[in-house]
Structure formats: structure tokens, C-alpha cells
Amino acid sequence: MYPVIRMAKEIVKFRNAPALPITGTHVSQHICWPWDIDLWMELNNGRTLTLFDLGRIPLAIRTGLWGALKRNKWGIVVAGNTTRYRRRVQAFQKFEIRSRCLGWDDRWIWLEHAMFTKDGECTSHVLIRGAVTSKKGMIPPAQVLAEMGQDATSPPLPEFVTAWAEADHMRPWPPQM
């Protein structure tokens, strides 16, 4: 089940938070609840990806993306991701999510989210290839940034982003099974 109540809490909590630059980092605090865990009594891998939404949506609000989406009746989608899981998050453990936009190209907006324990240890990290969409299809990031009143020039994308994008482009679609 989608964490609707938790998302509402995050939206209310950060509705008046200071604005962030487009590449600013949004930080939020959370708890691993019993409904987030798997048979091994730790945060489920799929749930981890869902919980990263609790950082992504407030990030969109604080950077001004949310306003552009609402004004234009646009949506946002995750079009791909690569995730690293490195440490367990157990039931009732507190953790922090750090979310930020790394940059964009002519088609995609690149985001990252990382989950940290209260001791500062990183438990997981996800690189997301996202897009803004309308009923007519994808909206070029330059158009989105213009609507946000931002410079359309992306900071240089980290090498791990471009390398993953190139590798993912070589992957056959549809899968050859």
C-alpha cells in the first residue's frame, strides 16, 4: 500500500520550508514501521523505493517543480533507476532520506536519493532517470526549467550517471527472454 498518510505529513511539514535551488538537497527524517518490513524483519527493498518518494515530492515542492507541474497539468514519472542496497534498516529504526537533482540532459532529469542511519551510515542509494510528462508525451527539461524560471543549463552530470545511461541504452527492449 502506498504511504499516503506519510506523504501527506511530508507535504504539510515542508509546505513552508525555505525554497531550494534546483540542485539543492532535501533532507527528511523517517522511521521504519512494521508495515515496511519483509520476512527478515528489515526494510523491504521495494518499499525502500516507495519511501524515496517521501523525499522526491517535497524536493519537487521546494525547488518550484511542483508549481510548474500544477500550472501546466504535467506529471512526473520514473523512467528507470539503479539501486544499491548496502546496510539493513530494521523495524523501528530511524533513518534520514537525502534527495537532490544531479542535472538533466535533453530528455531526462537525473535525481539521486540516499538513505542514512542516525549514525550517518548510508544504507541505500538510488539513481533515478525521471521525466516530466503531459497528455502529449514527455516535456523537454529545458522547457520545464524555463517554466520554473530557472537557467536551462545543467551542471555537468557525474560520470557514474552518464556511464549508467550508456550501459542502460545497450540493454535490449523488449527483453529477450
Side-chain angles (χ1 to χ4, degrees), residues 104-147:
W104 50 91
D105 56 26
D106 60 335
R107 190 166 185 198
W108 307 111
I109 299 171
W110 300 91
L111 304 165
E112 71 175 339
H113 301 284
M115 194 174 284
F116 291 85
T117 65
K118 65 180 182 176
D119 299 326
E121 186 174 34
C122 189
T123 67
S124 59
H125 177 259
V126 65
L127 170 64
I128 292 177
R129 177 181 59 215
V132 174
T133 60
S134 73
K135 290 182 179 181
K136 296 179 181 178
M138 289 175 49
I139 308 298
Q143 183 181 344
V144 175
L145 289 154
E147 180 64 32

Side-chain angles (χ1 to χ4, degrees), residues 78-120:
V78 171
N81 72 68
T82 180
T83 309
R84 280 186 174 173
Y85 300 96
R86 291 295 184 262
R87 301 282 181 265
R88 293 178 172 171
V89 176
Q90 297 176 327
F92 301 107
Q93 187 174 354
K94 293 181 180 182
F95 61 91
E96 176 178 280
I97 295 175
R98 300 176 195 168
S99 306
R100 70 179 178 150
C101 174
L102 294 168
W104 50 91
D105 56 26
D106 60 335
R107 190 166 185 198
W108 307 111
I109 299 171
W110 300 91
L111 304 165
E112 71 175 339
H113 301 284
M115 194 174 284
F116 291 85
T117 65
K118 65 180 182 176
D119 299 326

